[in-house]
Amino acid sequence: MGSNELEGQTAIILGGANGVGMACAELFARADARVLVADIDAESGRRLADRLDASGQRVRFATCDVRDLDAVQALVDRCEVELGVPDVGLYATGIIKPAPFLDLTVTDFDLVMDVNLRGAVFFFQALARRLVKAGRGGSLVSISSVGGQVAGDSTHAYGTSKAGLIHLAKSMAVSLAPYGIRANSVGPGGVATAMQAHLSPEERHASLSRTPMLRLARPEEIAQVALFLASEASSYVTGQTIFADGGRLALHRTVKVPQ
Ligand SMILES: NC(=O)c1ccc[n+]([C@@H]2O[C@H](COP(=O)([O-])OP(=O)(O)OC[C@H]3O[C@@H](n4cnc5c(N)ncnc54)[C@H](O)[C@@H]3O)[C@@H](O)[C@H]2O)c1
């Protein structure tokens, strides 16, 4: 996918300056969408928008910290003014603050929930309200994780936030179906981005031993699934999470990792 699947459409990609979100911005732009990239990382975001469209007519960047819900909601108005009413909302923003359960702090729990889940709820709400008012359908897509389905011993806040996104796709699908708005999620296993950088060699080995395909995903492989969910190719799919995980959730025990 990636020729003109999003022709005539406008997308907002939150968390789009790096990693999976950046791959989605690149692919959606290649699929002919106009794209508003938003992220807290202004330097990378501006560089990306310039690289994709120096004219600013089809791709733009907006600085946004998703902990500021007014700023999140303002993105919808800004997109409408600068690029058109958004048809697609993609929430790729995410952080991880690993800690054993007995040491988990309220501060870190709140931070992870605010960035990974609370921002998503109110971003999608603002976009859905706009779409309903405009009387048009649309597609809402989040990037969740296998971590929302199976547990680790130090990812309590992260896993809880990702389980929340998986549920949110279902609950928004139910509420918004009458308006022609679909809601889905992509659940990656391990993806080769900065988020993997904190893993020790032992943790990397353990992660691969739980991955039948014995490799991380490239960010573009996750973006392809997001594009499918964003586009008309998935017109009867709503409330789903597609796990692009190299087989992780299908695996009962472990696989042997070659040395
Ligand atoms: N990398 C993996 O192995 C993996 C696996 C499963 C799911 N995911 C999910 O994929 C999504 C993208 O992660 P990634 O791997 O590309 O990591 P990444 O760190 O490269 O990208 C995350 C983006 O979120 C932005 N961000 C962080 N805090 C923000 C805030 N307060 N406001 C606005 N933007 C903020 C960052 O600047 C960055 O651009 C995340 O939701 C992550 O949980 C990643």
Side-chain angles (χ1 to χ4, degrees), residues 6 8-12 33-36 79 83-89 136:
L6 296 179
Q9 308 242 331
T10 302
I12 302 178
R34 290 180 295 275
V35 182
L36 180 64
C79 184
L83 294 170
V85 176
D87 308 276
V88 172
R136 54 203 272 184

Side-chain angles (χ1 to χ4, degrees), residues 214-239:
L214 287 172
R215 66 173 178 85
L216 297 174
R218 298 184 303 278
E220 306 75 51
E221 293 177 296
I222 306 305
Q224 287 285 355
V225 183
L227 174 59
F228 168 69
L229 292 174
S231 73
E232 274 301 293
S234 61
S235 53
Y236 198 59
V237 180
T238 195

Side-chain angles (χ1 to χ4, degrees), residues 14-21 39-41 64-67 92-95 115-116 143-146 158 162 188-196:
L14 245 170
N18 299 284
V20 171
D39 201 290
I40 198 171
D41 178 355
C64 178
D65 180 341
V66 295
R67 290 170 294 177
T93 312
I95 55 168
V115 173
N116 294 9
I143 307 294
S144 55
S145 171
V146 293
Y158 183 80
K162 296 300 183 179
V191 192
T193 69
M195 194 172 267
Q196 291 280 324

Side-chain angles (χ1 to χ4, degrees), residues 11-35:
I12 302 178
I13 301 184
L14 245 170
N18 299 284
V20 171
M22 179 172 84
C24 291
E26 290 168 341
L27 188 62
F28 285 21
R30 243 195 296 145
D32 257 356
R34 290 180 295 275
V35 182

